[in-house]
Amino acid sequence: MTPVIIDRVREAFEARFGRESILIRAPGRVNLIGEHTDYNEGYVLPAAIDRAIYLAMKPGKESQCHWVSLDLNQTFDLTAGIFSRSELGWPDYLQGVLVEFSAMGIYVPPVDAVFGGDIPIGSGMSSSAALTTGFAFAINSLFNLGLDRVAIAKLGQRAENNFVGMNCGIMDQFASVLGREKTLLQLDCRDLSCIFVPFSRADVRVVLCDSQVKHSHAGGEYNTRRSQCETGVEILKRHHPEIVSLRDISPDMLDAARPDMDEVVYRRCSYVIAENQRVLAACNALADNDLATFGVNMNHSHYGMRDEYEITCPELDALQSVAESAAGVLGSRMTGGGFGGCTVNLVEEVALADFQNIMGEAFRQKLGKEPIIHICQLKGGTEELG
Ligand code: GLA
């Protein structure tokens, strides 16, 4: 499938602009555990996957940028340096990148771009982070700007925060840009130290079940969760002035401050604190090659997202509940920002065919939809293709 997409992107670019100067593969990501912990300076465990956006680009001839989304069959033209929000949505991620380069004092000449790929939009696989950081990566290479991968990931996050208005954390951009083949990224979002954990067991597969409920994170409930956490931190600071984020809070400290908080803020904080502990427990289990314990933590993560953080939806809960009791499933949970998208499931290879049948039935019976199931490979991060 992939070579076909690359050819489509190349051919479309060549038809409109002549031969491209650079072709970039920017992958989506899956997160195995640690949701909504990144912007609380906590821990996450994502990986880049074999779904990606491909961008063909080269410096433009005039003082305009011409951008084409092949999959959406849309074009956007930008007069260099004049930025404004677009109703199309996707141009804002690219404009946001240019604004951030400019904020760093880096002049970027106009660029033409064509992109397309196979990361489903709004499915919790981070198509937006792939697009944003892939575009920044390409510009960095085209004009020899000298940013390293971490700087590109951070720039991508700022583009989403500032121009798009999505107050996301760093996880998606980091995983997309710094992912490695057959590897999970145990990332500490406080200092961005990262342990690259090999994950190459041939007997276990990472499987995504797409609820087909589309989320839109730009603003909305995601940002509300983030500000509820910030409210919690403000209240907790009255008790512990030294703390910086929920990362610094133990369950006991939270309980002591509970009378000062409204119930919703308490539940949000309680989830984040427990989720951080679950990531660490899951990572320890992984180090012991104990995927059963790893999977139990995944299930509990889902319950926390469902009951305390309230970011799942009935479709995701149905898929998770069928999966967790299916034979050969080690763990199942929603992955990504929430309010739709996919569950991620750790499934024993020998049970894979049965799992697909059981989930197929669940999709049809409980969701009234045809199943969309992706068996993922963990892949390397953003790269220039020859
Ligand atoms: C979205 C955001 C990430 C992260 C996840 C939830 O994917 O972009 O920064 O907060 O949600 O874990």
Side-chain angles (χ1 to χ4, degrees):
M1 185 173 177
T2 304
V4 178
I5 301 172
I6 297 174
D7 288 347
R8 271 181 49 231
V9 170
R10 281 213 144 114
E11 280 159 20
F13 191 94
E14 202 162 328
R16 173 129 191 223
F17 304 112
R19 209 177 144 62
E20 85 276 354
S21 306
I22 196 168
L23 183 72
I24 296 293
R25 172 188 152 273
R29 67 97 189 89
V30 62
N31 186 27
L32 286 200
I33 192 161
E35 226 62 80
H36 287 257
T37 43
D38 59 355
Y39 55 78
N40 288 299
E41 298 191 331
Y43 306 101
V44 293
L45 192 66
I49 56 172
D50 56 344
R51 298 281 172 143
I53 291 177
Y54 300 87
L55 299 108
M57 291 172 51
K58 79 170 172 189
K61 283 209 181 101
E62 320 134 29
S63 60
Q64 280 216 321
C65 298
H66 305 287
W67 300 332
V68 179
S69 164
L70 266 191
D71 301 324
L72 298 175
N73 198 15
Q74 293 172 343
T75 60
F76 182 82
D77 298 328
L78 174 85
T79 301
I82 302 177
F83 303 107
S84 67
R85 298 286 297 261
S86 162
E87 280 175 6
L88 300 180
W90 59 266
D92 293 352
Y93 295 90
L94 311 188
Q95 293 191 81
V97 166
L98 297 180
V99 169
E100 292 306 325
F101 272 116
S102 158
M104 292 169 83
I106 298 173
Y107 168 72
V108 177
V111 281
D112 295 332
V114 172
F115 69 90
D118 60 359
I119 311 176
I121 297 170
S123 291
M125 294 186 223
S126 288
S127 55
S128 52
L131 177 61
T132 311
T133 52
F135 187 67
F137 189 99
I139 287 174
N140 187 52
S141 297
L142 272 178
F143 303 112
N144 290 316
L145 301 178
L147 268 58
D148 65 19
R149 284 177 182 263
V150 173
I152 290 170
K154 285 178 166 175
L155 188 150
Q157 183 196 12
R158 290 198 303 276
E160 287 205 42
N161 291 168
N162 298 333
F163 198 82
V164 178
M166 158 73 174
N167 284 329
C168 61
I170 189 70
M171 170 171 75
D172 303 347
Q173 295 78 8
F174 196 97
S176 181
V177 180
L178 286 105
R180 293 187 188 171
E181 179 103 16
K182 294 185 179 152
T183 302
L184 295 168
L185 279 58
Q186 186 184 333
L187 177 65
D188 180 338
C189 299
R190 169 160 273 175
D191 61 7
L192 297 190
S193 57
C194 183
I195 302 171
F196 292 89
V197 185
F199 190 79
S200 55
R201 278 182 47 168
D203 57 334
V204 176
R205 305 298 292 267
V206 175
V207 186
L208 297 178
C209 294
D210 188 344
S211 70
Q212 298 155 58
V213 177
K214 300 285 175 202
H215 67 222
S216 162
H217 283 325
E221 288 289 330
Y222 181 98
N223 288 353
T224 306
R225 293 300 177 284
R226 187 166 181 160
S227 57
Q228 287 163 339
C229 291
E230 284 161 6
T231 303
V233 170
E234 285 315 308
I235 294 165
L236 286 155
K237 269 188 175 159
R238 289 187 218 141
H239 297 249
H240 306 279
E242 73 286 359
I243 67 148
V244 174
S245 70
L246 290 179
R247 159 74 173 274
D248 305 312
I249 298 294
S250 68
D252 286 347
M253 289 158 82
L254 178 66
D255 282 342
R258 185 172 187 168
D260 299 348
M261 284 180 191
D262 82 45
E263 208 35 44
V264 173
V265 170
Y266 172 79
R267 279 208 303 278
R268 305 299 189 242
C269 295
S270 165
Y271 161 78
V272 170
I273 292 164
E275 182 75 349
N276 271 325
Q277 292 178 332
R278 284 188 286 264
V279 180
L280 295 178
C283 290
N284 286 337
L286 200 56
D288 294 340
N289 216 6
D290 174 4
L291 288 190
T293 302
F294 188 96
V296 169
N297 279 287
M298 288 176 75
N299 294 339
H300 284 129
S301 166
H302 187 86
Y303 311 150
M305 292 190 285
R306 183 189 63 199
D307 302 334
E308 291 192 301
Y309 220 60
E310 298 176 282
I311 52 171
T312 66
C313 61
E315 292 83 350
L316 285 165
D317 294 339
L319 292 174
Q320 193 278 338
S321 128
V322 172
E324 77 166 327
S325 47
V329 175
L330 297 158
S332 176
R333 61 185 284 281
M334 182 202 89
T335 184
F339 310 102
C342 294
T343 59
V344 56
N345 306 272
L346 270 195
V347 184
E348 289 173 359
E349 174 78 31
V350 288
L352 198 54
D354 286 347
F355 177 74
Q356 285 174 282
N357 287 334
I358 291 168
M359 296 315 292
E361 270 306 290
F363 268 103
R364 291 187 196 97
Q365 305 263 322
K366 297 188 185 265
L367 274 55
K369 292 174 181 166
E370 282 305 303
I372 300 183
I373 298 175
H374 309 280
I375 301 167
C376 293
Q377 316 255 17
L378 309 190
K379 285 288 184 191
T382 317
E383 63 183 333
E384 187 171 340
L385 303 175

